[in-house]
Amino acid sequence: MSVLLHTCCAPCLVYPVKILEEKNIEFSCYFYNPNIHPYREFKKRLDTFRLLVDDRNYNYIIDRDYGLKTFLRAVVFKEDLRCRHCYRMRLEQTAKLAAENDHDHFSTTLLYSVYQNHSLIIKQAETISSASSVDFMYRDFRPGWQQGIDESIQCNLYRQSYCGCIYSEQERYDNRLKKQLTRKRKNDVQSDRSRHNKPE
Ligand code: SF4
């Protein structure tokens, strides 16, 4: 098996590659993240990725283009569904590149994060795989969450404090917005419950 592993950032790469190496799976890492903003943050994550893959002699491909415009065009007016588009953009491109570079599988370090929508990532990847010549390699890397954090700290890797896009940056730092979102989520849960309890 030869896998092109989409890599969202260096800290999230540490644990998944440990698993691939243990299983003797051949891999190349692919940094393609038009969702990371602003530019200095993008550059910082890209440079950290580069430091790690160079240090460990991994095969890798980097897309250095800052994809702000591409990302915004994909999500504008659909901001509440932006993660769906964000996953799809990155996975589609990874599958395409995997096929062009003679890999038989693609996968992603997004499957390591406990903060991402794991089932949505799987669904998107499977749909992409069914229309492509490469297969999706699924692994649940989340059990290694703490191990990956500890190792990335030991390696002194830059660890970001928000997911990537400008929307997630605001959600991380704007306390007023955080409260609004918490209220909205509670209301959504309540209206879901009352819908389900309603007699037919
Ligand atoms: S929150 Fe994260 S996964 Fe969702 S759109 Fe923003 S960068 Fe992508």
Side-chain angles (χ1 to χ4, degrees):
M1 189 192 285
S2 165
V3 184
L4 185 62
L5 181 66
H6 165 259
T7 306
C8 58
C9 63
C12 286
L13 180 63
V14 170
Y15 182 76
V17 287
K18 189 184 277 290
I19 299 299
L20 298 186
E21 283 175 329
E22 275 171 17
K23 304 273 178 211
N24 279 324
I25 295 174
E26 195 185 299
F27 64 90
S28 293
C29 311
Y30 178 37
F31 187 95
Y32 171 66
N33 297 296
N35 58 307
I36 301 173
H37 322 132
Y39 179 71
R40 283 195 298 184
E41 178 68 24
F42 172 76
K43 189 76 179 42
K44 216 165 176 176
R45 295 191 201 184
L46 191 156
D47 290 344
T48 311
F49 169 80
R50 182 98 196 250
L51 275 177
L52 183 68
V53 290
D54 276 342
D55 183 56
R56 296 188 175 189
N57 272 326
Y58 295 150
N59 290 327
Y60 64 88
I61 305 171
I62 293 181
D63 190 328
R64 329 185 142 270
D65 288 343
Y66 176 53
L68 178 67
K69 284 183 190 167
T70 312
F71 177 84
L72 290 181
R73 283 169 189 163
V75 305
V76 77
F77 297 123
K78 297 167 278 196
E79 289 81 359
D80 288 348
L81 297 173
R82 67 181 188 271
C83 299
R84 180 184 302 269
H85 296 285
C86 181
Y87 297 150
R88 203 197 57 233
M89 285 166 80
R90 293 187 279 171
L91 292 169
E92 261 175 7
Q93 177 58 22
T94 306
K96 182 171 170 279
L97 205 71
E100 285 168 10
N101 286 277
D102 297 327
H103 293 283
D104 45 38
H105 285 75
F106 72 100
S107 193
T108 175
T109 57
L110 291 166
L111 296 167
Y112 161 77
S113 172
V114 299
Y115 294 112
Q116 301 294 342
N117 186 334
H118 200 83
S119 52
L120 183 57
I121 295 164
I122 297 170
K123 204 170 152 205
Q124 299 259 352
E126 283 173 347
T127 308
I128 291 164
S129 165
S130 64
S132 150
S133 60
V134 285
D135 290 325
F136 168 52
M137 186 204 74
Y138 172 67
R139 294 285 185 283
D140 186 356
F141 296 119
R142 292 173 300 178
W145 179 244
Q146 193 54 48
Q147 200 180 325
I149 293 176
D150 294 343
E151 205 179 312
S152 66
I153 293 170
Q154 268 170 24
C155 299
N156 219 5
L157 296 178
Y158 165 65
R159 297 182 47 80
Q160 63 272 6
S161 51
Y162 63 96
C163 188
C165 62
I166 45 175
Y167 307 103
S168 63
E169 193 259 1
Q170 186 187 3
E171 284 172 9
R172 170 68 179 78
Y173 295 111
D174 182 343
N175 288 331
R176 218 168 119 238
L177 178 65
K178 267 196 228 170
K179 281 183 196 149
Q180 281 169 9
L181 288 172
T182 310
R183 263 200 305 274
K184 185 178 175 304
R185 274 176 207 131
K186 271 190 196 149
N187 288 341
D188 289 348
V189 170
Q190 271 167 2
S191 56
D192 257 10
R193 275 196 196 128
S194 45
R195 238 197 333 270
H196 283 116
N197 293 335
K198 222 186 228 172
E200 298 272 306

